[in-house]
Amino acid sequence: DTEVTQTPKHLVMGMTNKKSLKCEQHMGHRAMYWYKQKAKKPPELMFVYSYEKLSINESVPSRFSPECPNSSLLNLHLHALQPEDSALYLCASSQQTGRRGGNTIYFGEGSWLTVV
Amino acid sequence: DAKTTQPNSMESNEEEPVHLPCNHSTISGTDYIHWYRQLPSQGPEYVIHGLTSNVNNRMASLAIAEDRKSSTLILHRATLRDAAVYYCILRELKTSYDKVIFGPGTSLSVIP
């Protein structure tokens, strides 16, 4: 099983709503990532979790709140978003071994978020 | 972080080989060279990676220059399904964190 599963595939939310994006992997990976991707742009790193602890926050606004409840799950809680936050949100995972640079990163298909 | 530069776009005829270049002149001795591609409306997918030697897999080949300052992803026979954005990424061999940064990539068009 080499899949990263993201739900929902599409989400429309108002600026006052609270919603969550979910990501799941069963490959035993201990590094998990959130990326944001705008149209015709490369993915931008948001957060990295390593062994269920937040290790990188790329100065992401606090209206985005990540959570890693266990080694297989990664959530992104959304609150008071702006229309410019509309984008594709990608989850990814990889092994955490000593030779991290050689490890493959597996991406999910993403969650398309529209903020109205 | 070491940076990569790639052409914005390239075009290829179907069933012909494609050579996608990547420059990484500030690469360190412990950086791996990774290639990912992103098909329309999908998440990125792994293509190939290498450290010093050329690499082959079922999808592609990776040719790494002797000084490691550049590399080339080779698709041996382009198909319409290979039309995608191709990203060349450097990843440190050992790091206490995994900061994987994408550059702009090369948008490959395949002409039937």
Side-chain angles (χ1 to χ4, degrees):
Chain A
D1 183 5
T2 56
E3 278 194 354
V4 175
T5 304
Q6 290 188 243
T7 55
K9 289 199 184 325
H10 298 272
L11 177 63
V12 179
M13 62 184 289
M15 289 188 283
T16 58
N17 290 160
K18 283 186 183 181
K19 296 284 185 184
S20 298
L21 304 180
K22 296 186 184 302
C23 175
E24 191 167 3
Q25 56 88 13
H26 295 287
M27 295 177 277
H29 292 171
R30 304 308 292 272
M32 295 187 77
Y33 314 75
W34 280 114
Y35 285 83
K36 172 183 176 179
Q37 186 173 27
K38 302 283 273 184
K40 299 195 184 302
K41 297 289 187 184
E44 294 175 38
L45 183 65
M46 300 175 73
F47 303 104
V48 180
Y49 271 82
S50 177
Y51 291 92
E52 294 98 70
K53 289 192 182 350
L54 183 64
S55 61
I56 296 177
N57 176 342
E58 288 286 271
S59 303
V60 179
S62 59
R63 58 186 184 268
F64 295 92
S65 175
E67 178 197 19
C68 190
N70 61 54
S71 59
S72 300
L73 293 174
L74 185 66
N75 297 322
L76 186 63
H77 302 299
L78 314 170
H79 174 53
L81 295 193
Q82 303 297 311
E84 58 264 30
D85 296 322
S86 299
L88 178 67
Y89 288 84
L90 293 161
C91 175
S93 71
S94 69
Q95 284 185 328
Q96 282 287 61
T97 64
R99 297 177 70 84
R100 293 191 184 103
N103 294 335
T104 300
I105 305 171
Y106 295 86
F107 284 85
E109 299 225 339
S111 293
W112 292 92
L113 174 67
T114 303
V115 182
V116 297
Chain B
D1 296 329
K3 296 288 187 285
T4 63
T5 56
Q6 301 175 250
N8 289 335
S9 62
M10 291 184 65
E11 219 171 61
S12 171
N13 293 318
E14 198 177 8
E15 299 191 5
E16 293 196 353
V18 184
H19 290 234
L20 296 162
C22 180
N23 288 319
H24 27 78
S25 57
T26 58
I27 191 171
S28 77
T30 55
D31 284 342
Y32 277 87
I33 302 159
H34 282 245
W35 284 82
Y36 287 78
R37 72 180 186 182
Q38 189 171 20
L39 302 171
S41 300
Q42 294 190 24
E45 65 174 345
Y46 168 79
V47 178
I48 200 166
H49 77 277
L51 185 60
T52 56
S53 306
N54 294 345
V55 184
N56 300 299
N57 67 22
R58 65 174 179 80
M59 287 181 73
S61 296
L62 177 59
I64 302 173
E66 199 168 328
D67 63 5
R68 299 204 337 119
K69 293 185 186 300
S70 65
S71 60
T72 303
L73 178 70
I74 302 165
L75 307 179
H76 296 287
R77 284 178 75 245
T79 68
L80 296 177
R81 196 194 172 276
D82 292 322
V85 179
Y86 287 78
Y87 297 102
C88 170
I89 300 165
L90 300 182
R91 298 191 69 199
E92 295 181 34
L93 171 64
K94 286 190 179 186
T95 178
S96 59
Y97 57 84
D98 235 334
K99 195 168 179 176
V100 182
I101 305 296
F102 285 77
T106 297
S107 179
L108 175 67
S109 302
V110 179
I111 303 166

